[in-house]
Amino acid sequence: MENGAENKWGFEDKQEHKAAPAVTVKTSLASIIDSVNKNDPRPVVPLGYGDPTAFPCFRTAVEAEDAIVDAVRSGKFNCYATNSGIPPARRAIADYLSRDLPYKLSADDVYVTLGCKQAVEVILSVLARPGANVLLPRPGWPYYEGIAQRKQVEVRHFDLLPERNWEVDLDAVEALADKNTAAMVIINPGNPCGNVFTYHHLQEIAEMARKLRVMVVADEVYGHLTFGSIPYTPMGLFGSIVPVITLGSISKRWLVPGWRFGWLVTNDPNGIFQKSGIIDSIKDCLSIYSDIPTFIQVCES
């Protein structure tokens, strides 16, 4: 080898291939913290985010802790799990979500994931195809953009309207969609705005999505954690109008973000996902991931 090439490894980082760093709440917060003068004696009050370990006032429920301990000590759940999650966890999630729906979900409608982030990655992987695009809310949770970029799925943003309590700009959605649009994403209750969509507005979204022939991906991590007087309504309520993928997790309601327990649920009483091959694609996508910690899953049973 010449010019010192013998000193280089084939896997050395290629700087020219690096993507621009994602701008997220956590990266911005870290930048602010790093800029604080460490020699300044004044106390710093962190207002960035709630964490049950860093902020003891956010106490994890004793019932959840006891459920974990009981599951671990039982010795029944040290086995390998299926890629979709163990049956007791899937049934429990289906029963829990069915309480708000006019139809009953089955365990087969539920896929357990490593937190909601894996659920986002799974559905965007399923939707990825040459030329595909998805419609994302602005403002929204930037994780969707990052995963879409990795999966080479085009992102098109529709605005949320502050003068209308951050409702979806439905005219913009219709203008953005084309034959390659696979899905529109909604986050309800909203992140970062904290808004809650009304029943009527969610029905409008469902009817618009049916008109455009796209699925709705409903990020409902903050389900039932609402501000103001508008009650929370799950998007799955309109599954008979348009097929809905519901994403959720236990991290927010139970204050256990580190447990990494989430779900992807198909709300589709008309069987459109099955006919279109989406169900098989979800199963295939989950098969590439490592097994899920079963003792945490049991806490939902």
Side-chain angles (χ1 to χ4, degrees):
M1 297 185 181
E2 298 179 357
N3 299 325
E6 68 278 3
N7 294 323
K8 292 185 177 293
W9 293 93
F11 51 80
E12 283 189 13
D13 191 22
K14 304 296 191 298
Q15 293 293 325
E16 65 271 18
H17 292 158
K18 282 194 172 183
V23 178
T24 67
V25 172
K26 288 186 178 180
T27 57
S28 299
L29 179 63
S31 176
I32 293 172
I33 292 175
D34 288 342
S35 68
V36 173
N37 183 355
K38 304 300 187 296
N39 297 320
D40 193 324
R42 293 175 297 178
V44 176
V45 179
L47 300 175
Y49 58 91
D51 184 291
T53 297
F55 305 94
C57 59
F58 296 105
R59 174 66 183 177
T60 302
V62 174
E63 293 84 355
E65 296 172 343
D66 289 344
I68 287 288
V69 172
D70 291 343
V72 173
R73 288 179 173 169
S74 72
K76 298 178 181 179
F77 306 105
N78 296 322
C79 56
Y80 289 106
T82 63
N83 291 315
S84 298
I86 63 175
R90 299 174 73 191
R91 284 196 301 269
I93 295 168
D95 291 344
Y96 168 72
L97 296 179
S98 293
R99 294 185 300 180
D100 295 325
L101 301 176
Y103 53 90
K104 187 170 178 60
L105 296 167
S106 73
D108 291 336
D109 297 315
V110 177
Y111 303 87
V112 177
T113 58
L114 297 172
C116 192
K117 284 186 174 181
Q118 190 197 19
V120 172
E121 184 158 359
V122 167
I123 192 57
L124 288 180
S125 297
V126 167
L127 297 177
R129 65 175 188 271
N133 67 75
V134 296
L135 310 182
L136 299 182
R138 181 175 52 199
W141 187 37
Y143 190 76
Y144 286 95
E145 281 87 345
I147 296 300
Q149 182 181 25
R150 284 172 48 193
K151 303 299 179 182
Q152 297 184 331
V153 176
E154 179 190 354
V155 168
R156 299 180 180 181
H157 290 99
F158 58 86
D159 289 329
L160 303 181
L161 305 173
E163 69 275 13
R164 294 175 53 182
N165 197 27
W166 302 103
E167 287 188 347
V168 172
D169 185 343
L170 295 174
D171 291 336
V173 169
E174 186 169 12
L176 287 169
D178 60 20
K179 64 180 182 179
N180 291 319
T181 303
M184 67 174 295
V185 175
I186 64 168
I187 305 175
N188 181 49
N191 178 8
C193 300
N195 58 296
V196 182
F197 291 146
T198 65
Y199 177 100
H200 175 69
H201 187 57
L202 290 172
Q203 186 175 28
E204 290 180 321
I205 292 172
E207 291 170 350
M208 173 63 72
R210 179 177 63 179
K211 176 181 177 181
L212 300 174
R213 311 299 288 178
V214 301
M215 73 170 72
V216 176
V217 177
D219 184 329
E220 298 178 348
V221 165
Y222 289 94
H224 293 290
L225 294 175
T226 61
F227 298 94
S229 58
I230 300 174
Y232 163 72
T233 300
M235 191 68 206
L237 199 63
F238 307 99
S240 60
I241 298 177
V242 65
V244 175
I245 296 289
T246 297
L247 310 182
S249 75
I250 65 172
S251 61
K252 302 301 187 293
R253 294 196 70 189
W254 288 91
L255 299 175
V256 287
W259 289 11
R260 312 310 307 144
F261 183 95
W263 52 81
L264 182 156
V265 177
T266 56
N267 296 268
D268 183 29
N270 297 322
I272 297 173
F273 285 144
Q274 186 68 53
K275 297 172 187 175
S276 64
I278 290 294
I279 300 298
D280 290 336
S281 295
I282 291 172
K283 292 177 180 178
D284 290 343
C285 186
L286 282 168
S287 70
I288 70 174
Y289 291 99
S290 59
D291 294 301
I292 298 165
T294 57
F295 68 91
I296 291 182
Q297 292 186 38
V298 176
C299 291
E300 289 293 295
S301 63

